[in-house]
Amino acid sequence: MNWPAVLLLLCTALTLLLAWLTARLKKFPAKYHYVCMLLASAWWSAMAGMENMVVAPADKLLFAKLAWLGIVAVPSYWTMFVWSYVKGAYQSPTRLGKAALLLMPLLTVGIALSNDYHHWLYTQTDPIGPHLGAAIVYQHGPWFYICALFMYGYMALSMLVIINALARASQLHRRHYLGLAIAMSIPWLANVAYVTGLFTVFNFDPTPFSFLIMGTVFYWLIAHRRLFDLLPIAHDVLIDAIPDAVLVINEAKQIAQLNQAAQALPDMPPDALGLPLAQLPYLYSILPSLWAQHLPVEVELNLGDAYYDLRSVTLYYQQHPIGLLLVLRNITHHKHVHIELQQALISFEDQLESNAVLHQQLHEAAIRDPLTGLHNRRFLDEITPNLLASLTRKQQTLALVMIDLDHFKLVNDQYGHATGDLVLRHMAQLLQQLIRESDFLFRLGGEEFLILMPETSAELAWQQSNLWRTQLSLSPAAISSTHDLAVTFSAGISELAGENMQLDPALLRADQALYQAKALGRNRSERL
């Protein structure tokens, strides 16, 4: 049995199976390049298997030439995969990018197939022995060394990328990249062993087998270490320099990345990469309100004595949410200042309200007579301008009724000032009950009262004063439980009308009318 051919074709089948399984995996960085690398490796091992299976030297040479498509393509796709995977690039390459990667492999196959005309790839090809199906010994031309430089350059570049990522990675990332570096070294060692003659598989290049082994290792790392699908690069220096806590959450609701500030969050274990978010209840409880939101979400968290402003952004790929970016800013100092400011504002508002009440109380005390509770002359001065302006606009009149209790001095002299005060309060209460809601009642001093009656003529005010007099005679002041004291009053009435209303002249006329009522015998009303 031709074991080299069987093993190589088996390697082809296994590599194609691995490519199919990889294609079924969920999207990960550089998936396109990785699958193409496996297909190119399968093509290489398939052509190598056919070269071992056929017996005619010309047929062996044909399959050897066709194998160059995979030989040159494998390092190209491999390097692009490593570069994109380490950088976390999910985007598929453009058509121009895909064509550029095939340029060197196709050119090399063309040179190989036309080798008989220029001998750039092979200067001489001879079987190693006279027996049927003997392997071919190849003497290489200049294009072979150009291809070798091209392929080893790509492989060296991919190894440098991994080494750079390895140097910058955290401990958990470092194990991942170390696995990649070890897997990558297998094709290098196999190819170097073949070129130097140290190791072959049935007198054949073991490199195709090594790419199957490397591809299998990578498939396991990608398929079983989903932690790195969302963000395969190590801790970035820029993220660690951010003073706010930064976390990346993957689809499995695990911490895929965090910076040094996030490591200081409450209940965060020392090695938090891969930690299920369920172990951090203060984040896990709000996760449903953050996931798959098209706009950034802001939430305030109170964690013991600390306050955080959390800002969440959903990470999408092809309209599918693949993770969360969480930024937590410690606002404890700001919050405490805000709380203190609020408390100070509340205290200030309370003080303002207290001052306003006190001011109102002082104002009321200033505009009211303490004995009767009626408004005084100060309040009269306050309301007069607006009252007169309103009546002028409406072209209405204002009646003034000046009232003075008759013989009030005799009441004080005979019954005492306490009884006099009682009579004044009785008069004030009676007038308050009898005047209209639109009227204004004042105590001007002593036993003198003033009533302003808007939209009222002097004649109507005179009639009203006579009604008040009648009510007063029917309601004498009760100065004790057994004795009532009947009192009377005199009234002077004046009227304001027209466009030039002035209160003082009207008060003077009302006062003159009052004196006239006194002179005519008291207990009567007169008008001027």
Side-chain angles (χ1 to χ4, degrees), residues 27-34 80-81 83-85 87-94 98 316-318 322:
K27 189 76 175 181
F28 61 86
K31 181 178 180 180
Y32 171 83
H33 297 110
Y34 184 69
M80 292 308 300
F81 160 71
W83 178 274
S84 301
Y85 184 79
K87 297 301 179 183
Y90 281 85
Q91 297 82 0
S92 296
T94 62
K98 294 177 181 179
Y316 285 91
Y317 177 75
Q318 294 183 347
I322 59 172

Side-chain angles (χ1 to χ4, degrees), residues 1-7 52-53 202:
M1 181 177 290
N2 191 341
W3 286 109
V6 171
L7 290 176
N52 275 272
M53 182 174 291
F202 299 104

Side-chain angles (χ1 to χ4, degrees), residues 368-374 408 417-418 420-422 424-425 428 443 446:
R368 287 194 180 273
D369 170 48
L371 177 63
T372 61
L374 300 181
F408 186 71
H417 288 282
D421 292 343
L422 188 150
L424 290 173
R425 286 195 294 269
R443 182 189 176 200

Side-chain angles (χ1 to χ4, degrees), residues 272-314:
L273 282 177
L275 180 75
L277 211 61
Q279 296 187 25
L280 300 174
Y282 58 88
L283 292 178
Y284 189 74
S285 61
I286 62 173
L287 196 60
S289 63
L290 306 179
W291 191 265
Q293 300 295 326
H294 292 283
L295 295 176
V297 179
E298 290 193 29
V299 180
E300 184 177 297
L301 296 179
N302 181 10
L303 308 180
D305 295 332
Y307 292 87
Y308 290 88
D309 179 29
L310 183 149
R311 183 179 178 87
S312 169
V313 178
T314 301

Side-chain angles (χ1 to χ4, degrees), residues 38 49 76 83 153 203 230 267 276 318 332 356 364 371 426 449 518:
L38 291 175
S76 305
W83 178 274
N203 295 319
L230 180 61
D267 302 325
Q318 294 183 347
T332 303
E364 283 293 319
L371 177 63
H426 174 72
F449 300 86
K518 294 283 189 180

Side-chain angles (χ1 to χ4, degrees), residues 62-78:
L62 174 62
F63 285 112
K65 293 176 179 180
L66 292 174
W68 280 100
L69 179 65
I71 294 172
V72 179
V74 165
S76 305
Y77 283 118
W78 170 251

Side-chain angles (χ1 to χ4, degrees), residues 229-272:
D229 289 354
L230 180 61
L231 190 61
I233 63 173
H235 266 118
D236 190 276
V237 175
L238 178 61
I239 295 179
D240 273 337
I242 296 176
D244 300 330
V246 179
L247 299 99
V248 178
I249 311 301
N250 62 14
E251 282 186 288
K253 309 301 185 292
Q254 298 171 317
I255 297 178
Q257 185 70 304
L258 78 168
N259 64 353
Q260 293 180 1
Q263 194 67 59
L265 289 173
D267 302 325
M268 188 70 71
D271 189 6

